[in-house]
Amino acid sequence: MRTAAADANDASMPLDRRSLLIALAAALAAPASARQALESLVDPDQPGSVLGAGLIVRDATGVKITEEALGQGVYRGRFRPFTVDTPVRVASISKMIATAGLMRLVEDGGLSLDDDVSDLLGFRLRHPLFPDAAITARRLASHTAGLRNGDTFPVPLGRRLEEALVPDGALAAGGSWWSPVDQPPGWFVYADANVAVLAQVMERAAGERFDRLMRRLLFEPLGLDVGYNWSGVSQAKRDRASACCRLVEGVWTAEVDGEVAGAPAVWINPDPDQPGIMADDYRSGENGFAFSPQGGLRASVSDLDRLGMMFSRGQGPLSVESVARMSEPVWSFDPSAPNGDTDRGLITRYGLHAQAAGGGVSDAFFGPGSDDWRGHFGEAYGLVSGLFWNQRDGRQVAWIINGTPEEAAMTRLPDLAITPWEARLLQRVPRRD
């Protein structure tokens, strides 16, 4: 295999959606081992190849049947092997993990899924067009509260969340954080803002900063060296990091984490009008975006696999009952009377930040019996990821694919609403007889 530097220099061949789909559809047609599947993804001679990828699959007994990673990561402008222990920003899987923390507070009696969150949030939260409809944690975690990512998204450190969400707020941006009148509460649209509100509710309920709260509730009991925005992550783990990358004009380009500050520093999204602001300047309970609950968890494939064991087998601080409550669909798409946005068929049923697969044809990602699978996808900055488990028999799969080409970042298969790279890896999950 050629070196990564050569790959970057040679990778400027024209790439369009049609040629990518043709090439990868041909690869999908033939069965392959996990290693062969990964080799096909990171092969620089193949159209649409990626930089690095990793996969862990467990069977119904909890035994690992696949643990493979190939390709390379990028850190401080240099290439190095991508492994199952390489930490990256895992994108929207972060939401599901944050909601597992929320459920721990529910278990402890500190929160209710169905109370008005305004009682804890620090300000009155109402959809401006539907002021009589209380907004609850259940509505937020199921993306049915009417929130959107407004024009001033995300609210930076140094500003208050309410500045975006109250009608006269300085960041309200003309009400762009809320759905139009023809999409009332109960209408599903996926939006990061929901989990930011939940993170702020969690902080106020527990009296503790979100990143530290998640460490106490979940990560430390699981023995995981992970954290939101690198919070609490050891120097040794940071030293193994890879940037999330895209191929831009033939060059692998770091989109985030091109360099990671030394421990114990925490990455923040600062207000440009407040230079020098640091994570320690944050006052808990003021801005749920502060530690990026929507996508900022730094973790590896192995870490996702360990979190998966909590969901699939009850091996962790979250109860089986709470996993079941997260997994039960709150919203299901109704094609006869559309009630939400399925994101081109990717999501047709959704629980509490846990997708229920197999509600339609385009989300039958696991073949026959797809309706028993629960979990979450991630996609941001050139990285795609996933963590899913089968609630009937305990099978599970975790993956990270890093370095998708710029032109193909939004490419999905025509008959299955996932990327071709993910479809290739999911062939390695044992199918139900």
Side-chain angles (χ1 to χ4, degrees):
M1 181 176 291
R2 293 177 295 177
T3 67
D7 295 348
N9 292 332
D10 294 347
S12 57
M13 67 184 73
L15 176 67
D16 57 38
R17 177 181 171 84
R18 179 176 175 79
S19 62
L20 175 65
L21 289 177
I22 290 172
L24 288 174
L28 286 168
S33 70
R35 188 171 185 84
Q36 288 172 326
L38 288 168
E39 286 174 345
S40 72
L41 297 188
V42 303
D43 182 355
D45 293 323
Q46 296 296 323
S49 65
V50 302
L51 183 61
L55 172 73
I56 295 178
V57 180
R58 292 183 184 267
D59 66 16
T61 68
V63 172
K64 286 183 186 177
I65 58 173
T66 298
E67 184 174 14
E68 290 280 359
L70 283 176
Q72 299 177 84
V74 173
Y75 188 65
R76 294 181 178 175
R78 297 185 177 183
F79 294 92
R80 57 187 182 186
F82 187 86
T83 77
V84 294
D85 295 314
T86 297
V88 295
R89 183 186 187 277
V90 299
S92 286
I93 295 173
S94 307
K95 296 181 178 69
M96 183 170 69
I97 306 308
T99 302
L102 174 83
M103 297 304 294
R104 284 284 295 107
L105 293 180
V106 172
E107 290 176 356
D108 292 343
L111 275 176
S112 167
L113 292 174
D114 297 307
D115 287 347
D116 186 342
V117 296
S118 299
D119 297 338
L120 279 170
L121 194 54
F123 62 94
R124 189 172 187 269
L125 183 68
R126 286 291 187 276
H127 193 307
L129 300 177
F130 304 96
D132 294 331
I135 294 178
T136 67
R138 189 183 303 277
R139 284 288 196 200
L140 293 163
S142 60
H143 294 253
T144 57
L147 274 171
R148 303 292 181 266
N149 292 341
D151 294 341
T152 48
F153 170 91
V155 177
L157 190 72
R159 305 297 293 267
R160 299 174 67 93
L161 184 62
E162 68 183 285
E163 293 182 66
L165 301 184
V166 300
D168 59 349
L171 301 176
S176 61
W177 288 83
W178 298 99
S179 63
V181 69
D182 61 346
Q183 297 179 6
W187 187 281
F188 176 87
V189 172
Y190 187 87
D192 295 333
N194 290 282
V195 72
V197 176
L198 287 174
Q200 184 157 322
V201 169
M202 292 169 66
E203 289 186 337
R204 287 187 164 256
E208 193 171 357
R209 215 171 75 176
F210 171 78
D211 57 328
R212 295 168 178 165
L213 178 63
M214 290 298 299
R215 193 186 320 159
R216 176 173 65 82
L217 292 176
L218 286 185
F219 304 148
E220 287 180 349
L222 287 167
L224 289 177
D225 186 6
V226 303
Y228 283 84
N229 286 1
W230 295 106
S231 176
V233 179
S234 71
Q235 187 61 51
K237 188 72 167 272
R238 296 175 193 227
D239 288 342
R240 299 199 299 270
S242 173
C244 297
C245 297
R246 282 198 177 105
L247 191 65
V248 180
E249 297 181 352
V251 177
W252 290 113
T253 302
E255 299 278 313
V256 68
D257 289 341
E259 185 169 351
V260 179
V266 179
W267 184 91
I268 61 169
N269 176 38
D271 180 358
D273 295 330
Q274 300 185 59
I277 194 168
M278 306 289 289
D280 286 343
D281 297 320
Y282 174 67
R283 294 179 60 183
S284 180
E286 289 192 347
N287 181 0
F289 277 112
F291 300 97
S292 304
Q294 73 274 15
L297 180 65
R298 268 58 172 193
S300 66
V301 182
S302 291
D303 297 325
L304 294 182
D305 172 68
R306 180 65 190 91
L307 287 160
M309 295 291 281
M310 177 179 68
F311 292 114
S312 68
R313 317 200 76 80
Q315 296 182 5
L318 188 65
S319 72
V320 172
E321 291 77 16
S322 288
V323 173
R325 293 178 80 181
M326 289 179 63
S327 302
E328 181 65 25
V330 174
W331 171 86
S332 297
F333 181 63
D334 183 353
S336 65
N339 58 344
D341 179 2
T342 68
D343 192 7
R344 295 174 288 164
L346 181 70
I347 303 172
T348 64
R349 300 185 300 162
Y350 203 81
L352 304 179
H353 278 129
Q355 180 175 350
V361 175
S362 58
D363 64 343
F365 314 119
F366 301 95
S370 285
D371 57 336
D372 289 328
W373 286 84
R374 302 291 186 268
H376 217 285
F377 291 100
E379 182 177 346
Y381 301 116
L383 176 143
V384 291
S385 58
L387 173 59
F388 278 81
W389 70 94
N390 187 293
Q391 64 175 5
R392 182 178 298 275
D393 62 27
R395 285 173 291 163
Q396 71 176 64
V397 56
W399 70 90
I400 291 171
I401 301 169
N402 188 24
T404 60
E406 183 182 36
E407 299 91 336
M410 297 303 293
T411 297
R412 294 183 189 163
L413 292 171
D415 56 350
L416 200 64
I418 53 175
T419 66
W421 309 284
E422 290 170 301
R424 184 66 168 161
L425 293 189
L426 291 185
Q427 283 192 321
R428 307 314 312 155
V429 179
R431 297 302 197 244
R432 191 174 73 183
D433 295 335

